Amino acid sequence: MDLNSIKPDQVLDAKGLTCPMPMLKTKKTLKGMAAGQILEILGTDPGSKNDIPDFGNKGGNEFLGLVDHPDGYTRYFIRKG
Amino acid sequence: MGHDSIVSSVKNEIRKNYAAVFEQNWPVWLAGLFLAVLALQIYLWGESPWGIAGGYRNWGDWILYLAGVYDHHPTFAPWLSPMSLSNFGLFTGALISALMSRQFKVRRAPMFEYVKALAGGILMGTGAVLAAGCNVGGFYTAMAVFDMGGIAMMFGLGAGAYLGLKYLLWEMEHLPQDWFKINTKARPATAGMGWQAAQPFAGAGLLLAVVGAFYLYAFLGKTVSGGLLFLGFLIGFVMHRARFCFVRAFRCPLMTGEADTVKAVALSLMVYGLGAAVIKWSYIQDPMTGVYHNFWMGSLIGGVIFGVGMLLAGGCASSTLWRVGEGNTKLLVTLFAFALTNSSFAALMKKIGLFDKLGNGVFLPDVISWYLAIPVFIIFLLIWTFVAIWNEDSEKFVIF
């Protein structure tokens, strides 16, 4: 899947936040979304590169991938299951 | 095979192995094993087992002495105090690891996160006085040397993590979310590709400096001090490579159900504890070494306060240090708040003589003999692990 062409239904800006806030906010935002919708998370915490993919595949959700943005943050995509 | 293809295949191998060791994250359980071995080495090498808060205390003492608050200067200079030295090592090890993986960057945080960092540091500094140690000295090491204060602090940390997580959930619902957004406009574009490429060389240079520092200490007749710096460096390197964070062992079972860190900490404690048992039972060192924690009241109450603080700050005593090593400015605030509070609160406690009322060191083998202490220790850790594994799927303890 080409991540750059994904049109997310919601974007969560977690830039500058460190563990555990990006995870908590991701979990909270996903709870408010409908099945099949896609959440994009913007983050700068290096720990998120392990945590968000692991968490994104839990509970029926699907982690679609991550891509580094040239401005120094990372974009993560999760499809709510 | 031609000369060129040999050169290129060697280059390829080096690149692959460099990435595996210095760039990709290590598994947490591996870091747990390394930590146990390194903690045992510190135990045998230095005068006291591994801790972190004592080093922060030393730094806080010096800052407050130089500011004119204290009349007497601290016993040890920061470059001779054992825990201060292993702390310097830990920080440098994390910095080296961050540089080698090209991850070092001055990381800013949203405004309100600095407020939480300050509050977290103050709470951890206070809790570490009451428990006579932080999550490392008061829990990890205390557990391993069969000081019952370690178990009391563990329950305190669990309760504190629960309360701290409750606060974080409240904050997401009730505080203006603008307080948690970083202003990215003022941000310059990435600091040039030159710096990115140069980072591993800076890391290698720093590594040589650490080795050089050990030889310098040895040359000056302070081999033990130099060794503590070096062992601290290895700990910091290992912790950063695996992003090993004690907070996760208490928080993640409540938050996502993830049990990997619980497994790693329990495994690490088993190795550390059995090693300590060998050292103590055979009288290689006095069995009461490291047994001085305030069982049970100080350890338990201190653990609760410390637990709330580590959730607010997003780092405990050890992970604060390694996160500062990768350029995290939020946890730099925590570090100073921790050091200053720990120093001043300890001075206050001494003045009003409250220490004796909090409990004293109780050595588990004195209470139930070595024959029972070792199986009880192992079974306790196994139960913790299995409950965490069971919770991974059932999510019985997940509160959110």
Side-chain angles (χ1 to χ4, degrees), chain A residues 12-21 23-29 31 44-51 54-55 58-59 69-73, chain B residues 25 105 107-110 113 116 165 168-169 171-173 177 180-182 184 187 190 243 248 251 255-256 314 323 326 328 330 392 395 398 400:
Chain A
L12 168 63
D13 183 358
K15 292 198 288 284
L17 295 175
T18 47
C19 189
M21 296 321 289
M23 289 288 282
L24 277 178
K25 292 199 166 212
T26 300
K27 193 167 176 183
K28 183 186 167 218
T29 314
K31 275 188 177 177
T44 50
D45 186 24
S48 295
K49 288 205 171 178
N50 303 323
D51 292 343
D54 283 353
F55 175 73
K58 277 190 80 172
H69 192 276
D71 279 354
Y73 59 88
Chain B
N25 281 323
K105 193 155 78 178
R107 298 167 193 278
R108 294 186 303 117
E113 289 295 322
K116 283 160 69 184
L165 185 56
L168 293 181
L169 297 174
E171 165 198 290
M172 282 200 305
E173 299 291 342
Q177 290 307 296
F180 303 96
K181 292 256 161 63
I182 197 162
T184 40
R187 196 167 182 283
T190 29
R243 306 192 72 78
R248 299 181 69 112
R251 184 194 62 211
M255 195 174 105
T256 58
R323 285 200 167 87
E326 67 175 12
N328 192 312
K330 176 189 169 186
E392 211 162 29
E395 300 202 343
V398 175
F400 165 60

Side-chain angles (χ1 to χ4, degrees), chain B residues 289-356:
Chain B
T289 305
V291 182
Y292 56 80
H293 295 90
N294 303 324
F295 182 74
W296 50 272
M297 205 143 64
S299 295
L300 184 71
I301 299 172
V304 175
I305 297 174
F306 194 97
V308 175
M310 71 189 187
L311 263 277
L312 291 189
C316 51
S318 46
S319 59
T320 290
L321 261 184
W322 68 249
R323 285 200 167 87
V324 171
E326 67 175 12
N328 192 312
T329 54
K330 176 189 169 186
L331 285 148
L332 190 62
V333 172
T334 302
L335 193 155
F336 278 102
F338 191 137
L340 292 173
T341 314
N342 193 265
S343 167
S344 47
F345 189 59
L348 180 75
M349 290 276 287
K350 218 177 263 169
K351 207 169 247 174
I352 56 178
L354 206 68
F355 262 126
D356 310 329

Side-chain angles (χ1 to χ4, degrees), chain B residues 156-210:
Chain B
L157 288 172
Y162 173 81
L163 295 172
L165 185 56
K166 278 278 183 200
Y167 163 77
L168 293 181
L169 297 174
W170 177 86
E171 165 198 290
M172 282 200 305
E173 299 291 342
H174 294 94
L175 294 184
Q177 290 307 296
D178 280 353
W179 294 3
F180 303 96
K181 292 256 161 63
I182 197 162
N183 173 19
T184 40
K185 279 179 216 123
R187 196 167 182 283
T190 29
M193 292 317 279
W195 166 237
Q196 279 285 354
Q199 282 198 33
F201 296 98
L206 204 51
L207 173 61
L208 290 178
V210 171

Side-chain angles (χ1 to χ4, degrees), chain A residues 33-47:
Chain A
M33 293 173 67
Q37 287 193 317
I38 291 175
L39 170 66
E40 174 178 358
I41 305 137
L42 314 176
T44 50
D45 186 24

Side-chain angles (χ1 to χ4, degrees), chain B residues 94-115:
Chain B
L95 174 59
I96 291 171
S97 166
L99 287 168
M100 300 292 243
S101 57
R102 301 182 187 85
Q103 277 183 340
F104 180 80
K105 193 155 78 178
V106 175
R107 298 167 193 278
R108 294 186 303 117
M111 248 356 260
F112 195 71
E113 289 295 322
Y114 289 104
V115 177

